[in-house]
Amino acid sequence: MAGERVKLEVAERESRGSADTRRLRKQGLIPGVLYGRGKEPHAFCVPERELRRVLTGPSGLHAILDVVLEGQTTTHASILKDYQQDVITGRIAHIDLHEVRLDQPIHAQVVIELVGESAGTKEGGVLSQVSREINVEALPMEIPERIEVDISEMQLGDTLRLADVAKQEGVIFLDDPEETVLATVTVPTEIDEPEPEEEELEEGAELAEGEEPPEGAAEGEGEAEPDADAGSGESGESGTTEG
């Protein structure tokens, strides 16, 4: 939802050291810096709950923040330019706000949201979203929160480019329309498996290496020939009677 303005009251802070930053976070405050149009930057802090409220509204991160510094009445129309998150908790750890003129266009990144189910995926294809954000230029009040793109007509082998997305009034796409690929529908990769016959042949070959020789050959090789001389001697002695 473009055009939403949200009031945000912040308190100025004097120091910008890491020790001060840790102290503020323990108190539930998020440190930040407001950069003006050629003015001195203001270091401030804002309650985490208040910041979460303004950034989770209908316009999300693209809301126009009417920043009011504590003790002042001047309103600074600003946008969220950058933020840092805690690696472990994922909570916002620091923000940068930039004051803007509402009558001058600015550059911003807008999320691409794919809508619908493509015809290609219904036939077994695989949908891949290549680009999730695009760069745009528009007046601060005209920056869309997201751009929805219908993919229901995408067939197997189709490629969706930025050039295929309908233009939005007041919004200029800054990325190359032909080079910026948003999504593709591809045929799933098939894995070749060996034929059963080949597996049987391989198993058979392994058995052949370990097979014992044929029965006849084994017996012939394993039996020892009788000792004729030893046999005749023993029988002669046992069969002779002393006269």
Side-chain angles (χ1 to χ4, degrees):
M1 176 181 178
E4 185 191 17
R5 300 182 66 171
V6 185
K7 185 177 181 180
L8 180 64
E9 295 184 354
V10 301
E12 288 198 71
R13 58 189 176 98
E14 296 180 359
S15 60
R16 302 168 93 178
S18 57
D20 181 62
T21 298
R22 288 193 296 269
R23 178 181 59 81
L24 290 173
R25 290 172 184 165
K26 288 181 179 179
Q27 297 175 356
L29 301 173
I30 305 300
V33 179
L34 171 64
Y35 295 92
R37 303 187 310 273
K39 305 174 184 177
E40 282 292 323
H42 291 280
F44 67 86
C45 61
V46 58
E48 182 181 8
R49 181 180 299 178
E50 180 70 5
L51 181 63
R52 188 184 305 116
R53 178 187 67 82
V54 301
L55 296 182
T56 55
S59 292
L61 302 181
H62 296 297
I64 302 300
L65 305 177
D66 289 330
V67 180
V68 178
L69 297 171
E70 187 179 33
Q72 299 183 12
T73 57
T74 305
T75 298
H76 304 267
S78 308
I79 60 170
L80 178 65
K81 193 66 174 179
D82 194 12
Y83 65 93
Q84 299 173 6
Q85 290 179 284
D86 186 276
V87 178
I88 299 176
T89 65
R91 295 161 62 180
I92 293 180
H94 187 277
I95 61 172
D96 286 339
L97 303 181
H98 279 227
E99 189 173 356
V100 296
R101 286 187 53 173
L102 300 182
D103 60 347
Q104 292 184 352
I106 61 173
H107 292 180
Q109 288 187 325
V110 178
V111 172
I112 293 292
E113 182 174 327
L114 305 181
V115 179
E117 183 180 2
S118 70
T121 56
K122 294 179 181 179
E123 299 177 4
V126 177
L127 173 70
S128 299
Q129 185 168 357
V130 181
S131 299
R132 298 185 179 275
E133 291 182 331
I134 61 171
N135 296 294
V136 304
E137 179 182 279
L139 293 174
M141 299 288 290
E142 299 298 327
I143 299 292
E145 179 188 358
R146 63 175 58 85
I147 296 177
E148 297 183 351
V149 182
D150 185 8
I151 59 170
S152 58
E153 298 299 322
M154 291 186 69
Q155 305 289 335
L156 278 173
D158 281 356
T159 297
L160 177 68
R161 305 179 189 278
L162 184 58
D164 303 318
V165 178
K167 300 295 183 182
Q168 297 203 356
E169 184 177 357
V171 179
I172 299 175
F173 297 156
L174 299 178
D175 299 317
D176 189 311
E178 294 297 335
E179 294 295 330
T180 304
V181 176
L182 303 180
T184 60
V185 178
T186 56
V187 179
T189 304
E190 296 183 0
I191 300 176
D192 294 331
E193 297 183 358
E195 297 293 334
E197 293 81 5
E198 295 179 0
E199 291 182 354
E200 291 175 2
L201 288 174
E202 291 177 1
E203 291 177 1
E206 292 178 0
L207 291 174
E209 293 178 2
E211 279 182 353
E212 296 182 358
E215 185 177 350
E219 292 177 355
E221 294 176 2
E223 293 180 357
E225 295 183 1
D227 190 340
D229 295 338
S232 59
E234 292 176 359
S235 59
E237 293 177 358
S238 59
T240 302
T241 304
E242 291 183 1

